[in-house]
Amino acid sequence: MSVQRRKYDPDFKRNAVRLSEDPDRPVAEVADNLGISKELLYKWRRELRAKEGLAFPGNGREALTEQEKRIKDLEKKLKDPEIERNILKKAVAIFSRTPK
């Protein structure tokens, strides 16, 4: 029997991290009160520190800065001309052969 994975919204994660940063309360106590493991709470803390405002985008989406989004869009636009160029190269090679 499989265990269903629990999902937490970004606000819950941010609040949990904020609570865990209180020096008067141990991380294990905060995790127990919230019903999560302390390892998961530590993971959320690391992610929030590493990505700050871009942490916890949700639903498997990648958190990208505006510049990263622009780069990704430009790479998508560049893909089609590259495919067309490769097709044309092959066509030129085929038609430039001398008949036997």
Side-chain angles (χ1 to χ4, degrees):
M1 185 167 28
S2 65
V3 176
Q4 188 169 1
R5 190 171 173 191
R6 293 174 56 187
K7 295 181 183 180
Y8 302 97
D9 67 341
D11 291 331
F12 177 83
K13 292 178 182 181
R14 284 188 187 92
N15 288 334
V17 170
R18 187 179 47 79
L19 288 172
S20 72
E21 291 173 342
D22 182 7
D24 297 335
R25 299 176 72 188
V27 175
E29 178 186 326
V30 173
D32 285 340
N33 289 341
L34 295 174
I36 58 175
S37 70
K38 67 179 181 179
E39 290 80 16
L40 182 59
L41 190 51
Y42 279 121
K43 177 184 167 197
W44 291 347
R45 287 173 70 165
R46 282 191 307 270
E47 188 174 341
L48 191 61
R49 273 191 225 115
K51 297 181 182 177
E52 294 183 21
L54 298 175
F56 317 128
N59 296 329
R61 287 177 281 159
E62 197 174 355
L64 301 174
T65 63
E66 287 301 316
Q67 185 175 8
E68 290 171 331
K69 286 178 188 175
R70 186 166 187 269
I71 290 170
K72 200 166 203 154
D73 289 341
L74 291 173
E75 286 173 345
K76 282 182 186 178
K77 288 180 183 178
L78 183 61
K79 191 175 187 179
D80 287 338
E82 286 177 343
I83 292 171
E84 291 173 6
R85 181 202 63 208
N86 292 337
I87 291 171
L88 290 173
K89 280 174 137 180
K90 291 176 184 176
V92 167
I94 290 171
F95 289 117
S96 63
R97 290 185 192 156
T98 57
K100 292 183 182 178

